[in-house]
Amino acid sequence: MTRNPVFWRAKGRRPFSDVDFVVVFIVSENWWLRVAASPVELPETFMIAHRYAASRMFERPRGTNDWGPEDMAKRRFVESRFIQLAESFGFREVSTPTFESLDLFTAKSGSAIVRELYAFKDQGGRDLALRPEFTASILRFYVSDLRSRPKPIKVYTTGNVFRYEEPQKGRYREFFQLNAEIIGGATLPSDAEVLALAIGTMRAIGLKQVKARIGNIGILRGFLPFAPADQAVVLHSLDKRNFPMLDAELDRLGRPDLSKALRQLVELSGDVSILDQAAKILGSEAGAGFEYLRKIADLLDAYGVSQQDYAFDMGVVRGLDYYTGMVFEIDSPNLGAEKQVGGGGAYNLAEVFGGERIAQTGFALGLDRLVMSAEAERATETPRPLDAYVVPIGEGVQKKAIEVLMSLRAAGLGADIDLVGRGPSKNLDYANAIGARYAVLLGEKELKASKATVRDMASGVQREVPLTDLVDAILSRPARGPEPAKPKRRAAGTRAERSRRR
Ligand code: HAM
């Protein structure tokens, strides 16, 4: 498509040389806008505009995202809090393929699931699918390779997953999960451990608005005297709170009498006291399931999980077919429609994949939604600024400037250098724009004296520093005037570099 650049000049119709700035914009399926801050920038601005007008632009596939440096800093912050906590709980990291045999996902859920997947044939005619979650892959891995390990097996993984969904804010076709599973522990303590890790992760991120809803799908399954496929349809209607569908299904199955109890049950939500009400609705047979949830509450108390952070909710049904016992979902109320940031529970997949009957429980948190929630609550950390931006002044100093740069990097500082060949004042503008704490100016005169000029970018204060003290100077607090004397430290870098500096 051809795009026609439109030029708009500030200060009315006057020659370009006489204006303060020029705005160039192009109207197409995307808006494109560039401001030439001064007449000097005009040629470059025009060139970019014409190149843009002539070229083809590619768009991201629907439901996917690009993440810039600021986004990635927030995402890594959230992810690292999960990883730190999971490691401290004794979980260890695993990794599984991004695509799997299609059968892995249809084995439990049937072929209807295919329309929710990115399923494809490879060039060898094999039916494959991009993973829509991690749980099935980890259980496949368990059955094929991890079974002989001491139990329980506690693993976590993070990465991208793919679902063919209708995209909207917070709901994507490629999204990221933080996932943890326990295989082979006793059911009750394992369920409590995954709940404590899931809720703890929210707290470790610094989120205040945390609400887990804990239910027990085992109780519902026990109450529904139907074959698994029919049970799944009834549970699906309860999950969606689609009561007309529920009634139609119960009519079809000849048990319309169950409708009232089910409707009452899924509306129950609150503290431990609702378990008594729920038990009354379902009768004595469901007693053990409610007792189990009471014990979960006791263990969460021992973990230090606040009662404010969770409620019991008999309406938690979960969308995936493999859950068998305790189930939970975590909401972040500040997110609007797509407020569910995580979910999980006890399930059975090992047997479906040819393994033994063994307890399995776990959860996944949606990274994209967690980050949105952390942004809304201002819980994300600001990214670490660049410590030093090295500015070589003059052709002859470039090699030495790189050596200085590398000595800063070797000391663990974040350091960058001019890669464009700009003059000092443009370089200072750039250092300012990227948020560097210090600029390290290296001219021939300074280097002859084995010194650098260090400029505190926040205060503008400049001072000469011996190269041997450069790391200390940059590690120190921002300068407000003359710096107090610092104890001498061995300068970073190789011995050859240090002797050269002396
Ligand atoms: P899930 O509830 O399907 O559970 O997904 C977990 C989380 O992933 C959701 O709570 C949500 O935050 C996020 N999520 C789901 N779909 C999307 C989407 N389209 N866009 C953005 N975020 C999304 C599972 O995946 C289970 N495998 C969890 C589990 C592990 N159960 C036992 N072990």
Side-chain angles (χ1 to χ4, degrees):
M1 164 181 300
T2 309
R3 304 169 181 86
N4 295 316
V6 179
F7 305 102
W8 179 72
R9 284 171 285 157
K11 290 192 177 173
R13 296 189 154 275
R14 281 192 275 154
F16 278 144
S17 58
D18 188 31
V19 300
D20 286 345
F21 62 87
V22 178
V23 179
V24 179
F25 57 96
I26 296 168
V27 185
S28 69
E29 69 272 25
N30 295 304
W31 280 85
W32 188 91
L33 177 120
R34 183 179 161 90
V35 179
S38 71
V40 183
E41 284 190 7
L42 269 179
E44 193 197 348
T45 304
F46 288 161
M47 224 173 67
I48 293 171
H50 282 291
R51 198 180 317 132
Y52 180 89
S55 65
R56 187 177 155 208
M57 223 180 76
F58 293 97
E59 287 185 10
R60 281 186 273 114
R62 197 160 130 76
T64 63
N65 291 289
D66 296 312
W67 304 110
E70 295 79 15
D71 300 317
M72 282 313 295
K74 291 176 193 164
R75 293 169 72 82
R76 289 288 181 220
F77 161 76
V78 169
E79 186 189 53
S80 69
R81 289 296 158 106
F82 165 71
I83 291 174
Q84 272 164 21
L85 198 65
E87 291 273 347
S88 80
F89 271 54
F91 285 77
R92 293 294 171 254
E93 187 172 18
V94 291
S95 177
T96 55
T98 314
F99 58 88
E100 296 272 4
S101 295
L102 178 60
D103 298 350
L104 186 74
F105 307 114
T106 54
K108 180 72 191 168
S109 306
S111 56
I113 192 91
V114 176
R115 60 169 189 268
E116 293 168 35
L117 300 175
Y118 274 86
F120 58 98
K121 269 194 198 303
D122 73 1
Q123 295 186 31
R126 299 171 197 90
D127 283 309
L128 301 170
L130 298 183
R131 60 187 179 201
E133 54 141 16
F134 289 107
T135 312
S137 300
I138 290 175
L139 267 292
R140 173 196 51 70
F141 186 28
Y142 165 75
V143 170
S144 66
D145 289 88
L146 303 178
R147 263 161 109 174
S148 57
R149 292 188 176 233
K151 311 283 181 317
I153 291 170
K154 297 170 77 178
V155 290
Y156 74 89
T157 192
T158 63
N160 52 350
V161 294
F162 306 84
R163 294 182 192 175
Y164 197 80
E165 304 215 55
E166 203 42 52
Q168 64 182 67
K169 188 164 182 269
R171 191 201 291 168
Y172 310 116
R173 288 181 173 175
E174 182 192 34
F175 60 98
F176 291 70
Q177 286 189 339
L178 313 173
N179 187 97
E181 311 289 349
I182 301 180
I183 305 164
T187 309
L188 179 69
S190 303
D191 279 348
E193 175 97 338
V194 296
L195 273 165
L197 176 60
I199 297 171
T201 300
M202 308 282 289
R203 285 289 176 202
I205 294 164
L207 293 169
K208 294 191 181 64
Q209 298 188 32
V210 175
K211 205 71 187 180
R213 291 175 287 110
I214 305 171
N216 190 337
I217 205 170
I219 297 175
L220 285 170
R221 287 195 193 281
F223 186 69
L224 296 172
F226 307 129
D230 291 328
Q231 230 181 42
V233 183
V234 174
L235 289 174
H236 178 74
S237 64
L238 285 172
D239 185 30
K240 299 283 169 226
R241 300 289 190 281
N242 186 338
F243 295 128
M245 181 179 164
L246 172 73
D247 288 347
E249 285 304 318
L250 291 174
D251 279 350
R252 182 180 66 81
L253 295 162
R255 292 302 305 268
D257 54 305
L258 299 182
S259 174
K260 189 174 166 214
L262 287 171
R263 284 174 183 234
Q264 283 177 348
L265 195 70
V266 296
E267 296 304 334
L268 279 181
S269 175
D271 62 17
V272 189
S273 66
I274 68 122
L275 299 178
D276 292 333
Q277 297 174 45
K280 272 190 204 131
I281 295 171
L282 291 195
S284 56
E285 274 167 44
F290 295 116
E291 190 49 36
Y292 186 85
L293 291 181
R294 268 189 212 98
K295 288 180 184 160
I296 289 264
D298 277 350
L299 293 183
L300 289 182
D301 195 37
Y303 274 101
V305 174
S306 159
Q307 287 181 19
Q308 309 298 320
D309 287 357
Y310 68 91
F312 288 104
D313 185 336
M314 295 303 108
V316 179
V317 179
R318 307 286 292 133
L320 296 154
D321 292 325
Y322 48 58
Y323 293 103
T324 52
M326 182 280 295
V327 279
F328 70 99
E329 288 172 350
I330 306 182
D331 293 336
S332 186
N334 55 38
L335 288 189
E338 298 299 327
K339 65 179 186 326
Q340 196 190 112
V341 291
Y347 58 94
N348 181 9
L349 274 179
E351 271 185 293
V352 180
F353 297 159
E356 72 279 31
R357 176 173 285 266
I358 190 167
Q360 303 138 64
T361 187
F363 69 88
L365 298 172
L367 176 66
D368 311 83
R369 294 185 192 171
L370 274 183
V371 174
M372 285 165 67
S373 175
E375 278 172 340
E377 291 194 30
R378 300 188 189 289
T380 56
E381 264 180 1
T382 43
R384 182 186 151 186
L386 188 78
D387 295 305
Y389 181 71
V390 176
V391 179
I393 304 170
E395 289 279 302
V397 301
Q398 204 193 1
K399 273 188 77 180
K400 184 67 196 170
I402 290 173
E403 286 172 19
V404 171
L405 169 80
M406 290 309 289
S407 72
L408 297 175
R409 287 175 176 171
L413 293 168
D416 200 356
I417 192 167
D418 173 34
L419 297 178
V420 179
R422 296 185 178 100
S425 101
K426 283 254 159 98
N427 259 325
L428 287 177
D429 286 349
Y430 179 75
N432 201 27
I434 61 173
R437 291 171 55 232
Y438 291 98
V440 176
L441 300 142
L442 294 168
E444 278 175 22
K445 192 178 71 132
E446 282 100 340
L447 284 177
K448 265 198 194 112
S450 287
K451 287 184 172 173
T453 300
V454 176
R455 181 186 177 89
D456 180 330
M457 294 303 298
S459 65
V461 173
Q462 266 185 207
R463 66 207 160 107
E464 281 206 334
V465 174
L467 287 181
T468 47
D469 293 346
L470 191 56
V471 169
D472 280 347
I474 287 167
L475 283 172
S476 69
R477 307 219 144 269
R480 296 261 170 265
E483 282 279 303
K486 287 245 155 56
K488 280 261 178 326
R489 220 188 74 162
R490 228 164 104 89
T494 63
R495 190 180 299 167
E497 282 168 344
R498 284 196 299 274
S499 67
R500 265 202 303 277
R501 269 183 240 132
R502 275 183 225 117

